[in-house]
Amino acid sequence: MSDFLQACRELIGASHVLTAAADTAGYLTDQRGRFTGKALAVLKPGTTDEVAGVVRLCAAHRIPIVPQGGNTGLVLGSVPDASGDAVLLSLTRLNRIRAVDPINNTMTVEAGCILEHVQQAAAAAQRLFPLSLAAQGSCTIGGNLSTNAGGTGVLRYGNTRELCLGLEVVTADGDVMSSLRGLRKDNTGYDLRDLFIGAEGTLGVVTAAVLKLFPQPKAQVTALLALDTPDQALRVLELAQAQCGAALTGFELMSDLCLQLVIRHFPPLRLPFNQASPQYLLLELSDSESEAHASAMLESVVGAALEQELITDAVVAASIAQSKSLWLLRENISMAQAHEGKNIKHDISVPISRIGEFIRVTDRLLQAASPGCRMVTFGHLGDGNLHYNVSPPAGVSDVSFITAQAEINRVVHDSVDQFGGSISAEHGLGALKREEILRYKSPTELKLMRSIKQALDPHNLMNPGKVL
Ligand code: ZN
């Protein structure tokens, strides 16, 4: 093993081969602090060629590789297991924006670029890169691609998969595959790019990508609507889509408890209504004409929703600052729930039309299984994706609640399955849901996935124990 580490030092420089516990600790624990793995070393190559060299060395020594970007994942996909056999391959030094092409509306970026830096580089070229999610200040685009991340812009712009035109990937053999040509049309056989997107590093290592850019909107306007039920929220969605078309760029549902927790744990934030309501909708429009045009469109939607008695109250943000504070109510829900104590998270999707019924049925099943449990239900209603999170009943200890986790997951995931949904809408499978998915994916799908894994990574060295 000392041969291997020495070869790594020669390849990428001794200062980029970390073995001391103090240096590696930050890479080995997952973002929520649930699991700490072990690694032979943390390797930090600085170029694609160095990544390829490291992968070839690992292949020769049969050493498993766990690729990692910003380590903000939620499903234990980017930390090694407890064996200590693997190396952790950090991509964070591959952080260059290689090119921006405003006419082709593309940018070519390396995997370790922080998402927020990618957004800023697009803005500097008067373009929009629309992927937007809570971890954007620390997650990397390589991780976003490897998990096919979703976020709050999916309704209008799609998941990360839809935002990528080409990839550079180091294969399990240590070869470099590049499709960084920025083509919008290329029907020349199997789509290898799409195979690596969402594969969570189990088929190869993403080192760079060509991303799609969009015109920057001239105006963005936001409203918070108060209403009684998710079914009414779906009717507001229909109304907003009919009136606004592609201008509708955000449509987030939040239950009353979500906002109560945010207000409790983030004191400057407050609810802009005189009284509480069972549900809230955060609605965002992006407009290519003007602020006035956007506001008129938003007020027309809100007016129609009030008239049809779909909503009971509404606040239209009058300034960018007010719009930001409305978004903060949404963005702080996860943190507020964490401050409240341990909780059990579900990242699920069902057909949009069935969301109301899903919530009613599953809430009832959960109350039977765990009487008094508190539902922190929020998410991307326009995508059929809910963060259907469960907090313990008031007064129940975190410990006894977490021991019921398997039972609670079973209730939720079986219900999701009944509704034709998915148990992982935007977070991936990682090690956390690897066993769980066996219950819900068809034998044919699993067989095909295993065939692909076997063909591309026959020695099972790429992020083993994740996804499959
Ligand atoms: Zn989300």
Side-chain angles (χ1 to χ4, degrees), residues 199-221:
E200 302 183 43
T202 61
L203 301 178
V205 183
V206 173
T207 51
V210 177
L211 305 175
K212 274 190 209 170
L213 300 178
F214 295 82
Q216 278 186 314
K218 288 234 171 43
Q220 274 182 324
V221 288

Side-chain angles (χ1 to χ4, degrees), residues 270-281:
R270 55 173 211 89
L271 194 64
F273 298 114
N274 290 328
Q275 62 185 56
S277 189
Q279 302 286 337
Y280 300 93
L281 272 177

Side-chain angles (χ1 to χ4, degrees), residues 107-442:
M107 66 196 298
T108 307
V109 305
E110 293 186 345
C113 288
I114 304 280
L115 173 55
E116 203 163 71
H117 298 169
V118 174
Q119 295 165 344
Q120 286 161 355
Q126 279 80 52
R127 293 293 183 273
L128 172 74
F129 181 63
L131 182 65
S132 172
L133 42 96
Q136 62 195 25
S138 47
C139 66
T140 64
I141 195 70
N144 299 145
L145 285 157
S146 294
T147 55
N148 187 24
T152 54
V154 175
L155 175 66
R156 164 70 178 86
Y157 299 102
N159 295 291
T160 310
R161 183 186 301 283
E162 279 85 40
L163 300 174
C164 176
L165 291 176
L167 286 182
E168 179 186 83
V169 173
V170 173
T171 69
D173 296 330
D175 295 332
V176 179
M177 180 203 85
S178 174
S179 60
L180 296 179
R181 292 179 295 164
L183 301 179
R184 277 157 209 276
K185 290 191 162 184
D186 177 18
N187 277 354
T188 53
Y190 303 143
D191 196 325
L192 299 172
R193 172 196 67 203
D194 272 357
L195 209 47
F196 291 101
I197 297 174
E200 302 183 43
T202 61
L203 301 178
V205 183
V206 173
T207 51
V210 177
L211 305 175
K212 274 190 209 170
L213 300 178
F214 295 82
Q216 278 186 314
K218 288 234 171 43
Q220 274 182 324
V221 288
T222 316
L224 187 70
L225 316 182
L227 67 171
D228 291 331
T229 67
D231 282 318
Q232 286 171 323
L234 288 181
R235 292 184 55 201
V236 177
L237 176 64
E238 199 183 356
L239 184 75
Q241 282 178 322
Q243 291 200 7
C244 310
L248 182 65
T249 46
F251 200 87
E252 300 283 316
L253 180 75
M254 304 170 279
S255 70
D256 180 45
L257 180 57
C258 297
L259 297 198
Q260 280 181 32
L261 294 179
V262 171
I263 288 156
R264 183 179 308 159
H265 295 286
F266 293 87
L269 294 175
R270 55 173 211 89
L271 194 64
F273 298 114
N274 290 328
Q275 62 185 56
S277 189
Q279 302 286 337
Y280 300 93
L281 272 177
L282 186 65
L283 202 146
E284 182 191 76
L285 300 186
S286 301
D287 190 73
S288 55
E289 273 188 40
S290 66
E291 188 86 34
H293 185 259
S295 297
M297 207 164 29
L298 186 57
E299 270 158 32
S300 160
V301 171
V302 169
L306 280 167
E307 198 171 297
Q308 295 176 32
E309 298 183 348
L310 301 178
I311 62 174
T312 51
D313 207 349
V315 168
V316 176
S319 64
I320 290 178
Q322 201 185 356
S323 169
K324 280 212 170 92
S325 66
L326 292 183
W327 269 106
L328 282 175
L329 291 172
R330 164 67 183 84
E331 286 162 1
N332 282 314
I333 296 171
S334 284
M335 283 303 289
Q337 196 183 11
H339 287 324
E340 184 75 4
K342 291 253 187 267
N343 60 81
I344 299 172
K345 290 191 192 303
H346 304 102
D347 164 40
I348 63 98
S349 65
V350 295
I352 297 168
S353 50
R354 305 195 72 187
I355 279 197
E357 190 191 356
F358 168 81
I359 294 174
R360 274 196 307 281
V361 168
T362 318
D363 278 4
R364 214 182 301 130
L365 293 169
L366 277 174
Q367 286 308 323
S370 177
C373 68
R374 293 177 295 161
M375 299 309 303
V376 181
T377 303
F378 64 100
H380 320 293
L381 191 74
D383 312 324
N385 174 197
L386 291 177
H387 298 303
Y388 188 69
N389 296 349
V390 192
S391 277
V396 169
S397 84
D398 284 352
V399 180
S400 64
F401 181 64
I402 292 300
T403 51
Q405 179 154 11
E407 189 194 346
I408 285 173
N409 286 346
R410 180 50 46 84
V411 169
V412 173
H413 291 162
D414 278 1
S415 184
V416 165
D417 194 46
Q418 289 281 314
F419 278 84
S422 167
I423 66 163
S424 183
E426 60 173 3
H427 295 165
L429 295 174
L432 194 69
K433 296 184 186 170
R434 181 178 71 123
E435 300 291 333
E436 191 75 352
I437 198 65
L438 299 176
R439 186 175 167 91
Y440 304 106
K441 233 165 165 79
S442 72

